[in-house]
Amino acid sequence: MLSKTMAIVIINTLHIKVPTILFIFAFIFFAKVTQIDKISKQILLKMTNIELKPARVFEQFAKINAIPRPSKHEDKMIEYLVEFGKNHNFDTIVDKTGNVLITKPATKGMEDAPTVILQSHIDMVCDKLVDVDFDFHKDPIQTYIDGEWLTAKGTTLGADDGIGVAYELALLASDDIEHGKIECLFTVDEETGLTGAFGLEPNWMTGKYLINLDSEDEGQIFVSCAGGITTDNIFRYKPEEAPKGYFFMEASVKGFIGGHSGDDINKKRANAIKVLGRFLYMEQNKLDLRIAEWNSGKMDNAIPRDGKVIFAVPMAEKETVKADWNIYTKGVEEEYHVSDPSSVWGLESTDTRPVIEKEVARKLVMAIQAVDNGPLTNCQDEALAYMVETSSNVAVIRTDKDRITVVASQRSNVASALTNMANTIKACFELADAEVHQHDQYPGWKMNPNSKLVKVAVEEYKKLFNKEPEVLGIHAGLECGLISEKYPNVDMMSIGPTLRFVHTPEERLLIPTAQMVWDHLLAVLKNIK
């Protein structure tokens, strides 16, 4: 039955105007009384003149986006999945890490087909525009259609990887699709540590093939990915009173595009931390600048889009700083006029407050100026020369009462190069006397040149769309790397619909590609024998 809550989610998804909303609620009430749920849904779609196909997938996605699921806070989503499995009488288990496995038997005539694992992660990156009032721990994602794209109102959309979860749930709920036995794996905390994949037990699943549903370009089949590591750099200090006669300013930037620190690291987008750090370094070399607070970035796998730094300068220097800021920001706007055309800059006075010890702040600024950020090298193999091999992203800077923490994430498709990049970042911050901790290291995923799964996927794609798919590696990290360590004999690939600007409030899903991936997925499941 189409509930009131579900109707609100669909209305938000379809961006329906108020008069239409009233009519829909009247119709939903009638549908509830007369028990014509299927007809009501069909008429609802016709009334809005919008076709979200495949409907069964988007219905599941709407339900998912009504459930809060920040990384490390997926309890409500786990409960939903367990209830879903039990309601459909499927074997449903939860491991000690929180991963959920729902097993559906083969359909009639497909009993001899090999078992296929479908895998997606249930958490999402939670980011929003600075002026949007939204609580990711309780508010449903408010989505709407913009041309051929599905996007959200001022927040991340959650299609990474909610759409993968929706594919799995739609397949589990179906009774008209041919497939062998399927094991639907839903992992937790992919975005902030790959906790679910790390905690996956080696003998939990029986499938011979695995299809990861966490890719972001339809028509591309991914067969390898980068490994990564996170470096935390802590500058400890004792707050102290600012010198007398100092003027406090808050410098800010917002409106950068940001993006995924793997997929988008090669797009030459501005990094808010590096941009603010450059200005501080120049001013620090000219005058006695004292830093009070510096905050920018939210996730270690996202390029920071906005940030603020509060600092103090001698009263006699404040006009010089303002003039320098105007010159500097115009130069940076020109520098990023293609990749980040909508930046917004601010410099204003603010209240007096304690400052960081001068020498600690000086070394912090020098480290931010010096540290590597962005792509370092591209892959040397000719077939993968298009792809970044090694990179680093200065992702977060956060001020607490007695410390400033800088978080940087390193990636590489080559294990030794990853170690070198991580050591380079570590050495830079050690020279600045920071306390350095490295963690959350995960392996890359090596390509299987003899993959039967990929062969079938390529053949079925050509039959469906009369063109060749691309078989590629990816610089982003996928859970396939960790899963392949624990299940070395499982043949794997990754596919997904086209997403753009993931990990940002501009995240969007190209609606027509959702149907294409669905058709492709069903063809692979039917023909993998």
Side-chain angles (χ1 to χ4, degrees):
M1 182 61 57
L2 190 63
S3 67
K4 182 177 178 181
T5 301
M6 180 61 188
I8 293 171
V9 173
I10 293 176
I11 287 165
N12 285 325
T13 300
L14 302 179
H15 208 207
I16 304 168
K17 295 181 179 179
V18 172
T20 309
I21 293 174
L22 297 175
F23 182 77
I24 290 170
F25 274 123
F27 186 84
I28 290 168
F29 176 77
F30 174 75
K32 186 173 183 179
V33 171
T34 56
Q35 301 292 306
I36 52 172
D37 185 52
K38 290 184 179 179
I39 297 174
S40 69
K41 290 179 182 178
Q42 291 170 1
I43 293 179
L44 178 60
L45 291 174
K46 288 180 180 178
M47 284 192 307
T48 58
N49 294 318
I50 294 172
E51 289 187 286
L52 287 171
K53 293 183 177 180
R56 67 180 88 189
V57 172
F58 280 105
E59 286 173 11
Q60 296 295 341
F61 186 58
K63 292 176 183 178
I64 292 164
N65 267 354
I67 302 171
R69 48 197 170 89
S71 299
K72 292 183 169 65
H73 299 276
E74 304 99 331
D75 291 352
K76 292 180 181 178
M77 191 66 203
I78 293 170
E79 291 175 8
Y80 177 79
L81 291 172
V82 170
E83 189 68 20
F84 181 96
K86 290 180 178 178
N87 288 341
H88 288 83
N89 296 316
F90 296 143
D91 288 338
T92 304
I93 51 178
V94 182
D95 70 8
K96 60 185 178 183
T97 307
N99 301 312
V100 180
L101 186 68
I102 303 177
T103 302
K104 183 180 182 183
T107 56
K108 187 176 180 179
M110 294 288 289
E111 293 86 356
D112 293 334
T115 300
V116 177
I117 303 163
L118 302 176
Q119 186 263 321
S120 56
H121 64 84
I122 61 175
D123 62 317
M124 65 175 283
V125 168
C126 298
D127 195 8
K128 66 182 184 68
L129 298 176
V130 293
D131 53 353
V132 170
D133 183 15
F134 190 90
D135 186 346
F136 283 99
H137 291 272
K138 65 180 182 181
D139 297 336
I141 303 296
Q142 304 294 303
T143 56
Y144 68 97
I145 291 174
D146 180 12
E148 289 190 313
W149 297 88
L150 184 67
T151 189
K153 297 178 181 178
T155 71
T156 38
L157 173 64
D160 175 18
D161 185 25
I163 194 64
V165 176
Y167 280 126
E168 292 190 64
L169 294 180
L171 188 59
L172 287 169
S174 68
D175 56 10
D176 59 346
I177 295 170
E178 294 180 76
H179 57 76
K181 178 182 174 182
I182 56 174
E183 297 176 326
C184 287
L185 173 63
F186 305 91
T187 52
V188 297
D189 192 28
E190 187 267 356
E191 299 290 4
T192 62
L194 294 163
T195 304
F198 270 112
L200 195 64
E201 297 176 9
N203 299 312
W204 206 37
M205 302 178 294
T206 64
K208 183 178 180 180
Y209 300 101
L210 183 145
I211 302 175
N212 169 279
L213 296 165
D214 191 23
S215 292
E216 297 162 8
D217 287 279
E218 190 285 320
Q220 297 181 347
I221 299 170
F222 291 98
V223 295
S224 71
C225 73
I229 190 169
T230 301
T231 303
D232 292 347
N233 311 280
I234 301 171
F235 292 83
R236 300 186 186 276
Y237 67 91
K238 294 180 180 179
E240 59 186 32
E241 293 299 315
K244 291 183 179 180
Y246 272 56
F247 184 79
F248 276 77
M249 296 180 170
E250 178 184 277
S252 65
V253 62
K254 63 180 181 179
F256 286 159
I257 299 297
H260 191 293
S261 62
D263 282 353
D264 299 319
I265 200 70
N266 63 335
K267 295 182 172 63
K268 301 180 181 179
R269 292 176 182 168
N271 179 306
I273 296 172
K274 290 288 286 184
V275 165
L276 289 172
R278 286 164 54 179
F279 178 73
L280 295 174
Y281 180 78
M282 290 188 296
E283 296 305 289
Q284 182 175 267
N285 287 338
K286 292 173 59 176
L287 48 86
D288 186 26
L289 180 144
R290 305 299 301 273
I291 295 176
E293 298 174 18
W294 191 354
N295 293 288
S296 180
K298 300 175 182 68
M299 304 286 295
D300 62 11
N301 56 5
I303 301 167
R305 300 177 297 103
D306 50 58
K308 295 180 180 180
V309 59
I310 296 173
F311 60 91
V313 297
M315 186 70 70
E317 302 282 4
K318 68 176 184 178
E319 295 304 324
T320 298
V321 172
K322 291 178 182 179
D324 289 348
W325 175 258
N326 290 334
I327 294 169
Y328 173 73
T329 56
K330 285 188 178 358
V332 175
E333 283 180 345
E334 175 60 26
E335 188 176 334
Y336 293 104
H337 74 281
V338 174
S339 63
D340 297 85
S342 302
S343 56
V344 179
W345 305 82
L347 183 67
E348 55 189 35
S349 62
T350 189
D351 296 335
T352 302
R353 64 200 70 194
V355 295
I356 300 167
E357 294 169 87
K358 183 176 180 179
E359 186 63 12
V360 174
R362 187 183 73 84
K363 290 179 178 179
L364 166 67
V365 171
M366 291 177 67
I368 294 297
Q369 175 67 41
V371 69
D372 273 334
N373 184 78
L376 179 68
T377 58
N378 271 32
C379 293
Q380 294 187 42
D381 293 332
E382 186 175 349
L384 298 175
Y386 63 88
M387 188 172 70
V388 174
E389 177 197 88
T390 305
S391 71
S392 185
N393 175 55
V394 182
V396 178
I397 186 166
R398 181 177 60 251
T399 303
D400 297 305
K401 62 180 181 180
D402 61 354
R403 71 186 67 183
I404 286 188
T405 303
V406 181
V407 182
S409 60
Q410 297 80 60
R411 301 176 188 266
S412 184
N413 292 62
V414 178
S416 60
L418 175 60
T419 299
N420 179 56
M421 187 78 259
N423 285 341
T424 299
I425 304 304
K426 182 181 179 184
C428 178
F429 283 99
E430 285 178 334
L431 284 169
D433 291 331
E435 178 184 316
V436 180
H437 303 278
Q438 294 187 315
H439 58 93
D440 290 342
Q441 184 167 358
Y442 58 91
W445 166 34
K446 293 183 179 180
M447 181 178 69
N448 174 9
N450 301 311
S451 171
K452 294 180 181 179
L453 178 62
V454 173
K455 181 179 179 182
V456 171
V458 169
E459 290 174 351
E460 294 306 316
Y461 191 91
K462 288 191 291 186
K463 290 177 187 176
L464 284 169
F465 307 117
N466 197 31
K467 60 181 180 179
E468 289 267 358
E470 296 180 275
V471 179
L472 303 168
I474 188 171
H475 187 59
L478 292 171
E479 291 164 292
C480 295
L482 280 167
I483 297 173
S484 65
E485 279 200 331
K486 299 178 181 184
Y487 293 84
N489 296 320
V490 174
D491 193 355
M492 303 181 184
M493 71 175 191
S494 180
I495 58 175
T498 297
L499 307 180
R500 290 293 176 265
F501 308 116
V502 297
H503 297 185
T504 81
E506 298 297 321
E507 181 185 356
R508 52 192 55 224
L509 162 66
L510 186 58
I511 295 167
T513 65
Q515 181 71 59
M516 297 174 73
V517 171
W518 177 249
D519 292 342
H520 187 208
L521 176 61
L522 299 193
V524 172
L525 292 175
K526 182 178 179 180
N527 292 284
I528 188 74
K529 298 178 180 178

